[in-house]
Amino acid sequence: MDRAAALMGALAARGGPRLPAVEWPEELASTSDRLKALARAGAPEWTTVLADRQTGGRGREGRAWASPPGGLYLSVLLRPRFEKVGLLPLAAGVAVAEAAGELGVRVELKWPNDVLVSGRKLAGILSEAASGPGGVEWVVLGIGVNLAVDPATLPPDLAGSATSLRAAGGADVPVAELAAAVIHRLGMGYDALAKDPGGVVSAWRARAAPWWGAMVEVRTGEGGLRGRLLEVDDDGALVVEVEGRRRRLLSGEVTRLRPAAAG
Ligand code: BTN
């Protein structure tokens, strides 16, 4: 049985979701780029693309995502019909956290959906969407999880800040099993978003790195700002107090400032 069939079988055994099609070549430039092409051509939701390695893996904020063999590189197509589509990236973070938990690794989430172990990055999620006259037409969730890549073999700027499930003491499982766990948990979060979006935000908050009240810097496409981290609100926005005023942010990269730098 090939790996795509094994993944579909593992999901059927877990009770879904049912994947209409799975592509899993050894190498792609980017699983999300491939899936976006399929989405534009009308592929149904839960169409899934994986690769053993990526040559042009992309991260958030225009960064590259190092993708050597030994990681999970997964993209899933969704065509949401519920209102709170903006919560999907948070639901995906919760799904990865729950899948890591199945392997015995406890993680923390950093807004919007970085997955950390002891402050080191284990996984990242890239959410890309296209809208039409009727609203959001599709969302491609790209999920990268470092399963067994030795962080020391990653580019020097990542070596000190990355970790893997293996390095964190997680159970050693094949990539297909981790993929099944992530997709299964994502399916549960996706259903919950239609019925109980507040529950998804609560699940995210319960796993959030406890930075509330700390001074942070948030870099966005328009520049950066510094302020006190207040909360993640019910729509998944980050709320920061800047010079006495609440600012809501929908995207950006958060860094905690050390007391001396916080000023
Ligand atoms: C981040 O910057 O934290 C998000 C990283 C997302 C990486 C994944 S790997 C699978 C999918 N394909 C890509 O090119 N990127 C995403």
Side-chain angles (χ1 to χ4, degrees):
M1 185 163 51
D2 69 18
R3 295 172 305 170
L7 172 58
M8 288 176 171
L11 277 165
R14 280 173 171 263
R18 197 189 71 79
L19 308 185
V22 176
E23 288 188 7
W24 193 340
E26 284 180 10
E27 181 178 296
L28 279 175
S30 158
T31 55
S32 287
D33 288 351
R34 171 65 187 147
L35 191 52
K36 282 161 72 178
L38 295 174
R40 291 186 194 106
E45 80 170 345
W46 292 106
T47 298
T48 297
V49 177
L50 303 98
D52 295 335
R53 57 181 182 268
Q54 299 182 116
T55 53
R58 294 184 294 103
R60 292 196 308 112
E61 313 289 334
R63 290 185 303 256
W65 184 258
S67 308
L72 170 66
Y73 310 111
L74 163 72
S75 297
V76 177
L77 173 63
L78 299 168
R79 296 186 181 275
R81 284 168 293 277
F82 48 76
E83 193 195 330
K84 299 257 182 178
V85 179
L87 292 178
L88 258 177
L90 267 58
V94 172
V96 173
E98 290 174 345
E102 285 188 26
L103 303 179
V105 174
R106 192 176 159 74
V107 306
E108 282 185 342
L109 297 175
K110 178 166 86 84
W111 186 86
N113 49 25
D114 281 352
V115 182
L116 310 177
V117 179
S118 305
R120 289 171 179 251
K121 189 151 166 171
L122 174 74
I125 295 157
L126 176 67
S127 176
E128 299 175 288
S131 297
V136 173
E137 282 183 1
W138 52 258
V139 177
V140 166
L141 285 178
I143 300 174
V145 184
N146 188 349
L147 180 59
V149 178
D150 178 355
T153 66
L154 290 171
D157 55 320
L158 296 179
S161 60
T163 189
S164 69
L165 283 169
R166 179 179 286 174
D172 216 357
V173 294
V175 183
E177 200 171 311
L178 176 63
V182 171
I183 297 169
H184 177 221
R185 300 286 183 161
L186 184 62
M188 291 161 62
Y190 193 58
D191 291 346
L193 281 176
K195 294 179 213 131
D196 175 27
V200 173
V201 179
S202 299
W204 189 92
R205 289 184 186 129
R207 291 173 174 79
W211 291 8
W212 315 118
M215 290 301 289
V216 294
E217 182 172 65
V218 189
R219 272 167 287 137
T220 68
E222 291 99 53
L225 59 79
R226 288 180 173 202
R228 193 169 298 284
L229 187 61
L230 295 182
E231 62 164 338
V232 168
D233 72 14
D234 291 347
D235 291 318
L238 188 76
V239 185
V240 179
E241 184 187 65
V242 183
E243 293 167 1
R245 297 183 56 193
R246 284 168 68 92
R247 293 277 305 270
R248 284 182 83 244
L249 299 161
L250 300 177
S251 67
E253 190 67 33
V254 187
T255 316
R256 187 174 182 168
L257 297 173
R258 283 175 288 121

